[in-house]
């Protein structure tokens, strides 16, 4: 491959990655230090039961968060398909946390205990999980795939929340 072709290929790849991050609603400005933050909850959305517990210290960057995340269920059940067709099980650490009032986002890197085991655990990627309280009775959740290498640059703040929470809730705090 010529150096010109290589440069063009890298440029196209960079444009795709930047576009994907921008389309996900993620902003680099949220990756900086802030006050102490915490998040804890148990919810069901889109056929998936999710529990999470995370915190980060005051003055620490979003990427210094610690905590745990678990999700189990069958997202295809929400479409009327049998649960056996597409059940998932994810669990592991939370490594990034952003809260804004009662809205929150966190990053979960895939590990070898996930549904696809070593495939996802060795992929260098994970999910940003976004939680939004639109009103006192309307909560939403979303998942945005993200390469782990980008989290230190762009943070984990996302507003993509297409799934309605059908039960449970969460609490943010300091």
């Amino acid at each position: 491959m010529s150096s010109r072709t290589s440069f063009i290929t890298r440029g196209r790849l960079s444009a795709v990655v930047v576009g994907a991050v921008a389309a996900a609603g993620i902003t680099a400005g949220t990756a900086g230090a802030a006050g102490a933050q915490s998040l804890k909850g148990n919810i069901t959305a889109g056929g998936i039961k999710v529990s999470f517990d995370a915190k980060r210290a005051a003055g620490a960057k979003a990427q210094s968060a610690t905590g745990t995340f678990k999700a189990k269920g069958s997202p295809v059940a929400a479409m009327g398909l049998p649960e056996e067709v597409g059940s998932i099980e994810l669990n592991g650490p939370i490594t990034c946390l952003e809260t804004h009032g009662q809205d929150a986002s966190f990053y979960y890197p895939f590990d070898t205990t996930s549904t696809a085991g070593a495939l996802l655990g060795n992929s260098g990627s994970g999910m940003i999980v976004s939680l939004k309280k639109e009103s006192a009775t309307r909560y939403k959740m979303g998942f945005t795939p993200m390469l782990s290498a980008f989290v230190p640059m762009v943070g984990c703040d996302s507003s993509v929340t297409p799934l309605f929470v059908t039960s449970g809730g969460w609490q943010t705090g300091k």
Side-chain angles (χ1 to χ4, degrees), residues 23 42 104 152 156 163:
N42 290 290
C156 55
L163 302 172

Side-chain angles (χ1 to χ4, degrees), residues 14-26 144-146:
S14 296
V16 168
V17 169
V18 169
V21 170
I26 301 162
T144 304
M146 177 65 66

Side-chain angles (χ1 to χ4, degrees), residues 1-15:
M1 180 184 310
S2 74
S3 61
R4 178 172 166 24
T5 304
S6 177
F7 178 76
I8 291 170
T9 301
R10 282 192 302 252
R12 287 180 181 155
L13 180 59
S14 296

Side-chain angles (χ1 to χ4, degrees), residues 55-151:
K55 62 184 171 186
R56 69 176 164 118
K61 291 188 175 194
Q63 299 82 2
S64 68
T66 59
T68 57
F69 166 75
K70 293 181 182 183
K72 186 174 184 176
S74 179
V76 298
M79 296 179 274
L81 297 172
E83 289 186 21
E84 305 81 41
V85 171
S87 59
I88 62 166
E89 186 168 344
L90 305 171
N91 56 70
I94 291 174
T95 61
C96 184
L97 173 65
E98 283 286 348
T99 64
H100 302 284
Q102 290 299 306
D103 296 344
S105 295
F106 60 86
Y107 183 72
Y108 156 72
F110 293 133
D111 63 15
T112 57
T113 62
S114 298
T115 300
L119 175 65
L120 291 176
N122 294 323
S123 69
S125 61
M127 288 284 181
I128 294 177
V129 179
S130 304
L131 306 164
K132 185 169 182 64
K133 289 188 177 181
E134 293 184 334
S135 70
T137 58
R138 186 175 163 139
Y139 298 0
K140 293 178 82 178
M141 177 180 75
F143 296 98
T144 304
M146 177 65 66
L147 291 172
S148 297
F150 287 118
V151 175

